[in-house]
Amino acid sequence: MKFSIKGLISGAALALAAMSVQAVPITSAGSLTIGDKTFSNFTCSITSGGLALTGPNACSQINVEVIGDGSAGSPYGLAFNSGFSAFGLGWEDILLGYRVTVTDPSQAIDEIGLAFNGSFVGLAVTQVVETVFNNGNLVGQAEVHNGSGIGAQLQDLISLNGAYTVLDVVKGIYLGAAGGLASISYIQQTFPQTDVPLPAPLALLGLGLFSLGLTSRRKQ
């Protein structure tokens, strides 16, 4: 198992980001909007194996809500809540997917933040891997984990390889137990963004109008 940690985002900032509306089951989320972010195309699948007692048992038991206020310390995002767990001898693998769209043409997403409260007792592991695509091309991946033998990495913040207005996100949630207990109750995803440079033709037009204004003033 390879762990690639590219950065950290403070837990305090994520706690402040939890300014949210009421959570809804992911199976009935439809489209969620906060600020200039719209989240849609939600998908979910659950697989498990072994003799462990695992949860959730159905995608309808996973809730999702929008979070954040759009500030630098509290960017817009999503929070997923459920009784994610594996107890005994076995594992559970949950795959969540969705699309995030930026509706403000002056903004684009250039980073992703990921955090969770994965915990364990005995021989057990919790892990979330976030893979992000644009038009089918991989543009970034974040990962958090906590478990026996692998240590704790509860937050991750990475820079994407560009700035994007539409992203498809795949979130892999894994809980494994070998006689222990693995559990997660929340996972938070944030999308810091950057200003989009003015397109060259518009920038030249603006410069031309500015110059025209200066010429007009001089003639007066």
Side-chain angles (χ1 to χ4, degrees):
M1 185 180 295
K2 183 179 180 181
F3 297 98
S4 177
I5 306 301
K6 297 182 179 180
L8 296 175
I9 186 169
S10 71
L14 284 169
L16 290 174
M19 299 175 59
S20 60
V21 299
Q22 185 175 1
V24 296
I26 193 171
T27 51
S28 59
S31 178
L32 302 175
T33 298
I34 183 170
D36 65 346
K37 301 290 187 301
T38 295
F39 302 92
S40 59
N41 298 1
F42 288 95
T43 61
C44 172
S45 64
I46 300 175
T47 56
S48 60
L51 303 176
L53 298 175
T54 60
N57 300 314
C59 290
S60 59
Q61 297 171 345
I62 301 173
N63 294 325
V64 59
E65 58 187 328
V66 291
I67 60 173
D69 60 14
S71 66
S74 180
Y76 296 127
L78 289 176
F80 297 88
N81 306 281
S82 188
F84 303 103
S85 63
F87 175 69
L89 185 62
W91 55 271
E92 181 165 66
D93 199 354
I94 301 166
L95 200 62
L96 305 180
Y98 60 92
R99 171 169 289 185
V100 54
T101 304
V102 183
T103 58
D104 183 349
S106 70
Q107 298 293 311
I109 299 168
D110 63 345
E111 293 180 316
I112 58 173
L114 178 64
F116 82 149
N117 67 340
S119 62
F120 71 98
V121 177
L123 296 177
V125 171
T126 61
Q127 181 187 42
V128 178
V129 177
E130 189 91 356
T131 308
V132 186
F133 301 90
N134 174 259
N135 290 328
N137 299 312
L138 178 66
V139 297
Q141 188 173 71
E143 188 267 348
V144 291
H145 60 267
N146 192 16
S148 54
I150 63 172
Q153 175 67 52
L154 302 182
Q155 303 95 28
D156 194 10
L157 176 67
I158 69 165
S159 297
L160 303 179
N161 64 2
Y164 302 93
T165 57
V166 178
L167 293 171
D168 292 307
V169 180
V170 178
K171 186 188 303 292
I173 305 167
Y174 175 80
L175 303 101
L181 169 65
S183 64
I184 305 169
S185 64
Y186 77 81
I187 302 166
Q188 291 187 357
Q189 177 76 64
T190 56
F191 296 91
Q193 58 191 21
T194 186
D195 294 332
V196 176
L198 194 66
L202 292 179
L204 292 175
L205 176 61
L207 181 60
L209 292 175
F210 178 73
S211 299
L212 182 62
L214 288 180
T215 302
S216 176
R217 287 187 178 183
R218 288 173 181 171
K219 288 183 178 180
Q220 292 176 358

